[in-house]
Amino acid sequence: MVDPRTSIIAERLKNVHDVIAVSGGKGGVGKSLIASTLALLLAENNRVGLFDLDFTSPSTNLILGIKDARPVEDKGIIPPKVHGLRYMSIVYYSGDYAAPLRGVDISNALIELLAITRWENLDYLILDMPPGISDATLDLIRLIKKIRFVIMTTPSQLAFETIRKLTDLLTAQNIQIIGIIENMKTDKDQTIKSQIRKLGLDYLGQIPYDPQIESALGNPSRLLNTEVAQKTKQIARKIQQFRQ
Amino acid sequence: MVDPRTSIIAERLKNVHDVIAVSGGKGGVGKSLIASTLALLLAENNRVGLFDLDFTSPSTNLILGIKDARPVEDKGIIPPKVHGLRYMSIVYYSGDYAAPLRGVDISNALIELLAITRWENLDYLILDMPPGISDATLDLIRLIKKIRFVIMTTPSQLAFETIRKLTDLLTAQNIQIIGIIENMKTDKDQTIKSQIRKLGLDYLGQIPYDPQIESALGNPSRLLNTEVAQKTKQIARKIQQFRQ
């Protein structure tokens, strides 16, 4: 049986040229930071949307300093324009309180949100995904036909082990993986790079560990002046080259 | 209706004096590293078990370098003794492959594992919890009556925002929170410490960011010689003082 929501979501996304899911095998690898920075950078010369689907810790709103902008209801929901991009987040609907929802409920909430959000014509829709392989990840893969993945890891073997599971799952389902980003580098070690290539995946680049990034949170122009943003810019170029 | 598994699990844990859940609001905060180090340190003068329930990225086996030790089946499952402690992990049953299980299945697998594992007399059973608030977290809280929490954060506001949700949930259910650990410190900033105290929670201490910890992974004696372990030792002392 075909899930009727598949066609509703396809209709909602028909004017979105490219859907890029920024994901990671586990939390704490900098997924939200890089998804936000990537969206800001691509928005400099593209029409871009950013959709925070990470119900486990929605944080793009904190990273981008989004406070007052709210979606508007009009035959669905229209994401506000903030810092040059269209912005939508699960945080608008989960609020600041503890939401002890069960897996199926969370997944249904995300799907509902995808089904009601009206994106304008977009070159890129960046999704800040829930970390790892959850019910929600499985449903999002199934429901968004043109989804392609950028996967984040850190230099730690602990993080790398978890992306293997995620890439296995995606590959088995013929989902395109644009490549892997190694975040929080503190040295020039090439172990992760060679392990990624052994998996037959593209190494999109590395981003340095920068404890000073904390002071740029909530301030997009400061964020764009960090070394993290400089490195992400090179990765944004690659993503545009690989454009479908 | 009372879940019959509650009494089975209570029976299995009747000789365990203290169950300490090491948790965090999100992944990547060092939960598995500190749970492993804490277990090794407490095992120096206590009978200790370590149970890795983090199905999203089981990693205590990698941190402790556990390769050949396997549980033995005998009217249930007996955890092997490794590095002076009894060790059990979801990894023994999930294997190295992608396990795209749905929330309910994962939670059932964890509960099944709790119900069949036979712990000897233990002073402390350390649980490496799944990150944040998942189906599994909710079930574990419900099923393990004497559970108490140690919660990890990093100095980042992004991590701190997520522990608020977790502590709200635990407090509402009258679950004891031993305190909060601030991990990956790179400076002397006291923001998180004062925010934790404002929540009325105990600040157990801070642990420095140490990129060199990577080279101690898989080697417990090297791990115990790191600054991370030195700081964790102070925290272990506090936990023993707070003993029930």
Side-chain angles (χ1 to χ4, degrees):
Chain A
M1 203 180 70
V2 177
D3 190 328
R5 297 175 301 191
T6 312
S7 60
I8 296 170
I9 291 173
E11 177 65 24
R12 288 293 191 201
L13 297 178
K14 74 174 176 199
N15 295 322
V16 175
H17 189 273
D18 206 350
V19 180
I20 296 175
V22 181
S23 187
K26 66 196 291 284
V29 296
K31 190 174 55 58
S32 300
L33 177 67
I34 302 307
S36 303
T37 309
L38 194 57
L40 288 172
L41 289 166
L42 288 171
E44 289 175 354
N45 45 19
N46 296 278
R47 292 160 303 175
V48 175
L50 174 62
F51 201 160
D52 191 337
L53 296 166
D54 183 359
F55 62 89
T56 70
S57 56
S59 40
T60 56
N61 55 314
L62 301 170
I63 292 167
L64 295 175
I66 294 170
K67 280 172 194 141
D68 302 325
R70 308 273 318 174
V72 173
E73 285 189 44
D74 178 16
K75 295 174 196 150
I77 283 176
I78 302 173
K81 195 151 193 174
V82 200
H83 307 310
L85 46 89
R86 291 280 170 190
Y87 180 77
M88 185 67 174
S89 171
I90 182 83
V91 88
Y92 287 130
Y93 302 94
S94 66
D96 208 11
Y97 54 90
L101 291 175
R102 293 279 161 175
V104 181
D105 306 322
I106 291 167
S107 199
N108 278 333
L110 293 182
I111 291 165
E112 180 65 20
L113 213 51
L114 275 166
I116 60 172
T117 304
R118 294 175 58 195
W119 298 100
E120 59 183 10
N121 288 348
L122 292 180
D123 298 304
Y124 296 100
L125 176 59
I126 310 293
L127 306 179
D128 185 2
M129 296 287 284
I133 302 165
S134 62
D135 290 21
T137 315
L138 298 171
D139 280 331
L140 292 170
I141 292 168
R142 194 167 51 80
L143 290 169
I144 307 176
K145 288 301 162 201
K146 45 187 159 188
I147 200 167
R148 303 192 296 150
F149 276 74
V150 167
I151 297 172
M152 311 267 317
T153 183
T154 70
S156 173
Q157 277 302 316
L158 302 182
F160 180 73
E161 291 299 324
T162 65
I163 70 163
R164 245 206 285 241
K165 286 194 196 182
L166 181 59
T167 58
D168 281 358
L169 177 78
L170 295 175
T171 307
Q173 301 197 34
N174 286 318
I175 312 283
Q176 195 190 334
I177 300 169
I178 299 174
I180 318 287
I181 299 174
E182 188 181 6
N183 191 22
M184 304 188 193
K185 281 298 273 185
T186 56
D187 57 29
K188 299 199 179 295
D189 186 271
Q190 303 285 306
T191 313
I192 298 291
K193 186 176 185 173
S194 71
Q195 284 173 320
I196 286 166
R197 292 200 167 148
K198 256 183 220 156
L199 292 178
L201 297 168
D202 280 314
Y203 184 81
L204 291 176
Q206 49 188 237
I207 294 173
Y209 176 78
D210 178 8
Q212 298 311 316
I213 202 81
E214 189 72 19
S215 63
L217 296 181
N219 187 331
S221 51
R222 203 181 296 169
L223 190 60
L224 289 175
N225 272 319
T226 59
E227 202 188 339
V228 167
Q230 288 306 312
K231 295 288 182 183
T232 308
K233 200 165 207 163
Q234 296 167 17
I235 292 166
R237 267 190 226 112
K238 288 193 192 172
I239 289 173
Q240 291 179 86
Q241 284 162 9
F242 291 147
R243 199 172 166 185
Q244 283 185 309
Chain B
M1 203 180 70
V2 176
D3 189 329
R5 298 174 299 191
T6 312
S7 60
I8 297 171
I9 291 173
E11 177 65 23
R12 287 293 192 201
L13 296 178
K14 72 174 177 200
N15 295 321
V16 174
H17 189 272
D18 206 351
V19 180
I20 296 175
V22 180
S23 186
K26 66 197 291 284
V29 295
K31 189 173 56 59
S32 300
L33 177 67
I34 302 307
S36 303
T37 309
L38 194 57
L40 288 172
L41 289 166
L42 288 171
E44 289 175 356
N45 44 19
N46 297 278
R47 294 159 302 175
V48 175
L50 174 62
F51 200 160
D52 191 337
L53 295 166
D54 183 0
F55 62 89
T56 70
S57 56
S59 39
T60 55
N61 55 315
L62 301 170
I63 292 167
L64 296 175
I66 294 170
K67 281 172 194 140
D68 302 325
R70 309 272 319 172
V72 173
E73 284 189 41
D74 178 16
K75 295 176 196 148
I77 284 177
I78 302 172
K81 194 150 193 174
V82 200
H83 308 309
L85 45 89
R86 292 280 171 190
Y87 180 78
M88 185 66 175
S89 171
I90 183 82
V91 88
Y92 287 129
Y93 302 94
S94 66
D96 208 10
Y97 54 90
L101 291 174
R102 294 278 162 175
V104 181
D105 306 321
I106 291 167
S107 199
N108 278 332
L110 293 183
I111 291 165
E112 181 64 21
L113 213 51
L114 276 165
I116 61 173
T117 304
R118 293 176 57 196
W119 298 98
E120 58 184 9
N121 289 348
L122 290 181
D123 298 305
Y124 296 100
L125 176 60
I126 310 292
L127 306 179
D128 185 3
M129 296 287 283
I133 302 165
S134 62
D135 289 21
T137 315
L138 298 171
D139 280 331
L140 292 170
I141 292 169
R142 194 167 51 80
L143 291 168
I144 306 176
K145 289 300 164 201
K146 46 188 158 187
I147 199 168
R148 301 193 297 149
F149 276 73
V150 167
I151 297 172
M152 311 265 318
T153 183
T154 70
S156 175
Q157 276 303 315
L158 302 182
F160 180 73
E161 291 299 324
T162 64
I163 69 163
R164 244 206 286 242
K165 285 194 198 183
L166 181 59
T167 59
D168 281 357
L169 177 78
L170 296 174
T171 307
Q173 300 196 35
N174 286 318
I175 312 281
Q176 196 190 334
I177 300 170
I178 299 174
I180 317 288
I181 298 173
E182 188 181 6
N183 191 22
M184 304 189 195
K185 280 299 273 185
T186 57
D187 56 30
K188 300 199 179 296
D189 187 271
Q190 303 285 307
T191 313
I192 299 291
K193 186 175 186 174
S194 72
Q195 283 173 320
I196 286 166
R197 293 201 165 147
K198 257 183 221 157
L199 291 178
L201 298 168
D202 280 315
Y203 184 80
L204 290 177
Q206 49 187 241
I207 294 173
Y209 177 78
D210 178 9
Q212 299 310 317
I213 202 83
E214 189 71 19
S215 64
L217 296 181
N219 187 332
S221 51
R222 202 180 298 168
L223 189 61
L224 289 175
N225 273 318
T226 59
E227 202 187 339
V228 167
Q230 287 308 312
K231 294 288 182 182
T232 308
K233 201 164 207 165
Q234 297 168 15
I235 292 166
R237 267 190 227 114
K238 287 191 194 174
I239 289 172
Q240 290 180 85
Q241 284 162 10
F242 291 148
R243 199 170 165 187
Q244 283 185 308

